[in-house]
Amino acid sequence: MINLPIWNDSLISKYNISGPRYTSYPTALSLEPGYSQSDLQAAITGSNSRTLSLYIHIPFCHQLCYYCGCNKIITRHQSKADVYLDYLAQEIAAKAPLFKHYTVEQLHLGGGTPTFLTAEQMTRLISMLNNAFTFSNNAQRGIEIDPRSLAPNMMEHLHELGFNRVSFGVQDFNDAVQTAVNRPQQLDEVLAILTEARTLGFKSINMDMIYGLPFQSAESYRQTIEQLIALSPDRVSVFNYAHLPDRFAAQRKLKEADMPSAGEKLEIFKQTLEQMTTAGYQFIGMDHFAKTDDELAIAQNEGHLHRNFQGYTTHGDCDLLGLGVSSISQIGHMILQNEKDLKPYYQALEDKQCAITKGITLSADDEIRAAVIKQLICHFELDKNVFEQRFDINFDEYFAQALTALEPLAADGLVELSNHTIKVTSSGNLFIRIICMCFDAYLQNQIKTTRFSRVI
Ligand code: SF4
């Protein structure tokens, strides 16, 4: 278990800057055009893994949430999902044969809103996947659920299709906040679906929350988190809303004047941290909490937690195959991304049976830095000897620049640097992204052109 974060106002005012979330290294910003199906084939050949995590992106939503920064299409036309599944079938037919020596350990449906699909469409999708890939008997099958759009009996249907993990998008229980962001949903609805999921045997039930939305205050969010704790989900993500109206048109519908100030946002997160840890949740890192008997917390405590494009995970050793518009794969030494928009995605599948458009081949240096960043962001400490043996390097020489960058952070008590270890302190674990940034060789160029979210 990592140390409980210590809240230090002067460190927060100094270090609450913006930075990547490191769901991969290099981050998706480093992907370059010019990649295609032959690169996927090469990636598989170069990979030592024969286990697979599958991610399927369902881009449709019935209604626009005004804080949304996701890749989604708002529509009421259910038939659009039939067309999408037709193209997804083409993509599966082109890619699945390349993975015939793999076993799928994990399936995750994300969006958009995966439960936009009707029961029939969901059955069709799962049949396509079951027919095309070999799943392990105890594969984790997870799905993101919008409690507002769940059709009657859908939870039971998902269970019959083999799903055993669920993540609910909740964000806030306060009526004024829900109205402002155009996402009204009743606590009773969430409770009813959660109860049904538990009765059916779903495990590691997650709830996604957001702070920084209009009309949130420390007091209103305290009540929201109280209600959340009473529901007792196994995992909770409390995301910091990044208001980037230049990039995300939906966010232009939100008035900055209605949003909590920077100081109030910090107060909200501080209070949330106290409420969650007092209630017995383990702080996993960044914005994630889990009950101590949840497999995510156990994996962290036993030293085998991972991080990939879906966030913290217990299945980081698997290659990751993303299917659907905009989805990202990480196979062996390569990261590959599909066309981001629907029309080009369909067109690419029609023209060349492949929608891969961008990618990066990790260099030896990328691999070493990725391993260091993953170790720090998952476990908050690092044994230099392990990296010296694994990569045949002298750690202090190889990372001389990074260690120099860490010195001021060490002087401020965020990290402890010794001859053999780097340890993130209780004061530093809220700033893990900044500590990881010291090892990022791409950052100086990206920071000039990109607005990242703040670390708290
Ligand atoms: S926040 Fe989720 S449900 Fe809302 S519009 Fe965006 S993708 Fe759809």
Side-chain angles (χ1 to χ4, degrees):
M1 190 183 302
I2 68 167
N3 296 326
L4 270 186
I6 290 179
W7 195 269
N8 179 319
D9 287 330
S10 66
L11 289 177
I12 285 168
S13 60
K14 183 170 178 182
Y15 287 109
N16 191 17
I17 58 172
S18 306
R21 298 176 57 78
Y22 293 115
T23 50
S24 71
Y25 180 84
T27 66
L29 292 169
S30 306
L31 305 188
E32 300 277 358
Y35 281 74
S36 65
Q37 182 89 347
S38 59
D39 295 298
L40 175 64
Q41 178 70 71
I44 295 167
T45 305
S47 173
N48 295 325
S49 177
R50 285 298 173 260
T51 55
L52 195 61
S53 179
L54 273 181
Y55 171 79
I56 319 292
H57 190 76
I58 306 294
F60 306 106
C61 302
H62 286 121
Q63 191 175 332
L64 178 66
C65 310
Y66 294 160
Y67 57 80
C68 184
C70 302
N71 190 303
K72 81 290 176 186
I73 293 150
I74 309 297
T75 180
R76 289 263 153 209
H77 298 294
Q78 206 63 46
S79 60
K80 289 199 175 178
D82 289 319
V83 176
Y84 187 71
L85 292 180
D86 291 343
Y87 282 96
L88 207 50
Q90 287 187 37
E91 192 186 0
I92 291 170
K95 286 182 177 167
L98 306 177
F99 291 90
K100 58 178 183 288
H101 303 305
Y102 279 74
T103 305
V104 179
E105 298 280 354
Q106 192 180 39
L107 166 69
H108 186 82
L109 267 60
T113 305
T115 46
F116 179 93
L117 301 185
T118 63
E120 292 72 27
Q121 288 167 338
M122 191 65 78
T123 302
R124 181 183 170 202
L125 171 60
I126 299 305
S127 300
M128 289 187 328
L129 295 171
N130 284 342
N131 291 336
F133 294 95
T134 305
F135 282 78
S136 92
N137 289 337
N138 53 359
Q140 287 185 5
R141 295 170 181 247
I143 181 166
E144 294 168 13
I145 286 184
D146 179 345
R148 301 168 305 159
S149 71
L150 204 63
N153 303 325
M154 190 61 164
M155 208 71 228
E156 205 174 334
H157 187 63
L158 292 171
H159 177 65
E160 283 165 6
L161 289 175
F163 284 97
N164 47 29
R165 303 282 191 280
V166 273
S167 175
F168 295 108
V170 173
Q171 326 310 351
D172 196 315
F173 291 117
N174 182 281
D175 287 341
V177 177
Q178 291 183 359
T179 304
V181 300
N182 197 37
R183 195 187 164 98
Q185 69 184 1
Q186 297 303 312
L187 176 59
D188 289 356
E189 289 171 349
V190 179
L191 177 60
I193 295 167
L194 174 72
T195 306
E196 190 182 0
R198 283 214 178 98
T199 307
L200 289 165
F202 282 86
K203 295 198 169 59
S204 292
I205 295 174
N206 180 74
M207 290 196 174
D208 284 342
M209 311 298 288
I210 300 183
Y211 71 98
L213 296 177
F215 302 111
Q216 283 178 341
S217 65
E219 176 52 25
S220 79
Y221 212 68
R222 186 187 60 72
Q223 288 176 22
T224 281
I225 295 297
E226 259 176 28
Q227 289 166 315
L228 173 87
I229 289 169
L231 295 176
S232 192
D234 302 291
R235 300 177 185 179
V236 177
S237 310
V238 188
F239 295 112
N240 177 358
Y241 170 61
H243 189 58
L244 303 170
D246 297 344
R247 273 175 63 190
F248 305 115
Q251 297 184 355
R252 289 173 210 149
K253 291 179 179 287
L254 299 180
K255 290 190 201 137
E256 278 188 55
D258 296 334
M259 295 176 198
S261 65
E264 196 152 22
K265 270 181 83 173
L266 286 173
E267 186 58 33
I268 290 172
F269 187 69
K270 179 184 180 192
Q271 180 182 267
T272 302
L273 199 57
E274 283 168 4
Q275 284 178 282
M276 293 299 294
T277 50
T278 303
Y281 284 85
Q282 180 167 322
F283 178 62
I284 300 294
M286 291 178 47
D287 28 35
H288 284 65
F289 300 85
K291 285 185 176 170
T292 48
D293 60 355
D294 183 84
E295 57 199 13
L296 211 58
I298 293 169
Q300 184 173 56
N301 298 341
E302 292 180 351
H304 51 82
L305 183 67
H306 295 275
R307 189 163 170 80
N308 66 16
F309 287 103
Q310 289 148 39
Y312 286 109
T313 173
T314 53
H315 282 71
D317 281 340
C318 299
D319 279 340
L320 170 68
L321 174 63
L323 297 167
V325 65
S326 79
S327 60
I328 298 181
S329 304
Q330 180 149 23
I331 314 276
H333 308 292
M334 242 180 256
I335 301 175
L336 300 160
Q337 184 169 29
N338 277 351
E339 289 282 2
K340 276 187 174 171
D341 294 318
L342 206 54
K343 270 193 186 168
Y345 171 74
Y346 288 168
Q347 194 64 51
L349 284 168
E350 275 177 21
D351 294 347
K352 48 190 176 145
Q353 292 79 51
C354 172
I356 295 169
T357 177
K358 292 202 297 188
I360 186 168
T361 306
L362 272 61
S363 66
D365 179 62
D366 291 335
E367 304 269 5
I368 297 170
R369 289 173 189 274
V372 166
I373 288 173
K374 189 196 261 189
Q375 174 64 27
L376 286 171
I377 210 161
C378 291
H379 297 290
F380 294 75
E381 63 180 30
L382 173 155
D383 181 342
K384 294 179 187 176
N385 289 329
V386 171
F387 285 83
E388 293 187 336
Q389 282 170 23
R390 182 171 161 194
F391 294 108
D392 196 19
I393 56 169
N394 177 307
F395 192 96
D396 287 353
E397 283 177 15
Y398 195 90
F399 286 114
Q401 217 175 338
L403 292 171
T404 303
L406 280 174
E407 278 171 14
L409 281 70
D412 278 334
L414 304 188
V415 277
E416 290 169 359
L417 306 176
S418 75
N419 287 341
H420 300 296
T421 59
I422 298 173
K423 285 188 179 169
V424 182
T425 65
S426 300
S427 300
N429 55 23
L430 288 175
F431 304 105
I432 187 65
R433 287 157 74 176
I434 293 174
I435 292 161
C436 291
M437 282 158 72
C438 297
F439 293 90
D440 185 338
Y442 294 83
L443 197 61
Q444 287 316 313
N445 284 335
Q446 289 170 352
I447 231 154
K448 290 176 201 153
T449 54
T450 310
R451 281 185 68 192
F452 296 104
S453 60
R454 280 183 183 272
V455 298
I456 302 178

